[in-house]
Amino acid sequence: PKRTGRAMSETLTTLGEVCDILGKPSSVLILTHTRPDADTLGCAAALREMLISLGKRAEIANDDDIPRRLKFIFGKEPDDEFDLRPERLADFEPDMIVSVDVSASKLLGKLEEPYAGRTYLAIDHHALGTPFAEKTYVGALGACGEIICDLAKEFEKRGKKTLDREGAIALYAAIMSDTGSFRFDSVTAETHMRIASLLGYGFDHSEVARRMYDSRPLSQVMGTKVALNDLHFYNGNRVAVINFTKKMREDNNLSREDIDDIISLTRSIEGVEVGMTIKQSDDDLTLYKVSMRSNRVVDVSKLCAVFGGGGHKRASGCTLNAASEYDAEARLMAVINEELAALDKARAFDGAGEI
């Protein structure tokens, strides 16, 4: 049976326990979340190299397309044919299944059915997740990549140097991605110390940043143009919203990847406290995928939890069924407006923005 409740998962409290577990199997399958970002992919790539250095066979599975700009994490170029779909591992029967940066089994997408109930260890940094593995380690850090970085140090304390240059590149990308290029308030002095240790492996960190953020294909630029045409505001311009329907994508010949990063546009506008994108599903026109970001005060994980989602205080998501994009937007805005009113009443914004 699938493990879907916290009571069914043993919580690990130290990375030493994680090291002990990972030292036992001779083969490991590493699961990543659907719609993969640099954190889940970077963690998986680095952990795979670490396990191989320990003499194990390790493979990675993901049910989705790998974004072109993130293929470098695996030593590939944007136009290279490359995926991590499990079909290529038909002959692989791992001794253990491990997930990284997966806070709930539904985030495995098509991998949930065959693998969620068999997952032995989950390594994650989402405090509000729903554990599904037999054992779960959650570190309250800005990126799951920070946990894998600390895991490598734990192995090194045991006389096993598991991290190499390629793994360091993957973890640098992971941490940079989930900390918003070190701009989010989840970043600590320890985050920068981890980054300093990774830079010691001798790679060009500016090239990593360029590949992630400054090498957009023209189609993605056009996606941003279409998004700007739909950008609208609520609550005294404190909420910025972009609503992307399937028809908008089809009319402008845009792929899902072309509009994946438009959420960052909404939060970057002066005066905006909550940025939100609402994207209609290709397969179910009543299903909408929502991404929320906040700048200083609003806990968007709390807002997304109302619709069964979650994530981090400053970056969260959810899905909901609605009769139309207007219905979805109205329901989401009702929750956001209520939260902003409560925060205004509590004077929560007073002093926000001070350095």
Side-chain angles (χ1 to χ4, degrees):
K2 292 182 182 177
R3 304 177 181 91
T4 56
R6 182 176 296 274
M8 301 178 72
S9 180
E10 177 187 348
T11 300
L12 306 178
T13 58
T14 70
L15 284 173
E17 294 173 286
V18 177
C19 283
D20 290 341
I21 289 171
L22 292 177
K24 295 176 181 178
S26 60
S27 59
V28 177
L29 177 63
I30 304 167
L31 305 180
T32 51
H33 63 70
T34 192
R35 301 179 68 87
D37 58 12
D39 198 17
T40 195
L41 294 177
C43 287
L47 183 58
R48 177 179 181 272
E49 295 304 313
M50 290 164 60
L51 293 171
I52 289 173
S53 76
L54 295 172
K56 307 173 188 298
R57 179 182 176 185
E59 302 288 354
I60 303 169
N62 186 280
D63 83 328
D64 221 328
D65 293 331
I66 306 303
R68 295 176 75 257
R69 66 186 179 88
L70 298 182
K71 290 181 182 179
F72 76 90
I73 289 173
F74 301 93
K76 306 295 183 180
E77 294 300 321
D79 292 328
D80 288 350
E81 290 292 330
F82 175 73
D83 70 64
L84 295 169
R85 288 187 169 84
E87 289 79 8
R88 77 192 201 289
L89 303 174
D91 64 338
F92 182 48
E93 285 295 332
D95 296 335
M96 183 179 292
I97 299 176
V98 177
S99 69
V100 288
D101 195 38
V102 182
S103 61
S105 62
K106 67 179 181 180
L107 296 179
L108 293 170
K110 295 176 183 177
L111 302 184
E112 180 181 22
E113 183 64 33
Y115 295 122
R118 298 164 53 197
T119 304
Y120 186 77
L121 172 65
I123 302 172
D124 192 28
H125 70 126
H126 298 91
L128 298 178
T130 305
F132 58 94
E134 189 164 321
K135 298 179 185 294
T136 302
Y137 178 85
V138 177
L141 300 173
C144 194
E146 295 190 67
I147 299 175
I148 304 301
C149 190
D150 289 351
L151 183 64
K153 293 176 183 176
E154 184 67 29
F155 274 119
E156 193 166 355
K157 290 178 185 176
R158 302 179 178 206
K160 300 173 181 177
K161 187 171 177 57
T162 58
L163 196 61
D164 59 10
R165 182 176 178 275
E166 286 67 33
I169 291 172
L171 290 180
Y172 183 86
I175 298 171
M176 181 166 64
S177 171
D178 247 36
T179 60
S181 298
F182 316 109
R183 292 177 294 127
F184 297 166
D185 56 10
S186 59
V187 174
T188 64
E190 288 75 21
T191 302
H192 288 291
M193 291 173 68
R194 293 181 183 102
I195 290 298
S197 71
L198 295 175
L199 291 176
Y201 284 85
F203 59 89
D204 187 345
H205 63 88
S206 65
E207 179 61 16
V208 174
R210 188 195 69 80
R211 292 195 179 208
M212 289 182 64
Y213 303 117
D214 297 327
S215 57
R216 299 176 185 274
L218 180 59
S219 58
Q220 198 170 88
V221 176
M222 298 307 294
T224 301
K225 179 182 178 182
V226 175
L228 282 171
N229 287 334
D230 186 77
L231 177 65
H232 49 287
F233 300 88
Y234 294 98
N235 205 296
N237 293 338
R238 293 194 296 174
V239 183
V241 181
I242 297 173
N243 207 322
F244 239 106
T245 64
K246 180 181 181 181
K247 185 177 186 302
M248 288 169 62
R249 291 195 299 276
E250 291 178 342
D251 287 350
N252 293 279
N253 196 29
L254 298 172
S255 70
R256 192 176 66 185
E257 186 177 343
D258 290 333
I259 61 171
D260 263 353
D261 196 40
I262 60 173
I263 183 62
S264 60
L265 174 68
T266 62
R267 181 168 53 181
S268 66
I269 302 167
E270 183 179 5
V272 168
E273 294 294 342
V274 178
M276 177 169 64
T277 59
I278 307 168
K279 300 174 185 175
Q280 188 177 39
S281 169
D282 288 334
D283 303 319
D284 180 355
L285 298 185
T286 67
L287 183 66
Y288 294 85
K289 181 182 184 298
V290 179
S291 295
M292 288 191 199
R293 301 290 186 269
S294 67
N295 270 317
R296 303 175 298 174
V297 175
V298 182
D299 181 353
V300 290
S301 69
K302 175 182 175 182
L303 304 181
C304 288
V306 173
F307 301 94
H312 305 289
K313 286 185 177 181
R314 302 288 174 257
S316 288
C318 62
T319 57
L320 75 156
N321 288 96
S324 69
E325 66 269 29
Y326 306 109
D327 176 42
E329 188 169 311
R331 289 164 57 191
L332 289 158
M333 282 308 308
V335 173
I336 294 172
N337 285 331
E338 182 180 359
E339 179 66 10
L340 287 174
L343 292 170
D344 286 338
K345 185 176 182 180
R347 303 182 67 86
F349 293 98
D350 291 1
E354 294 181 358
I355 296 176

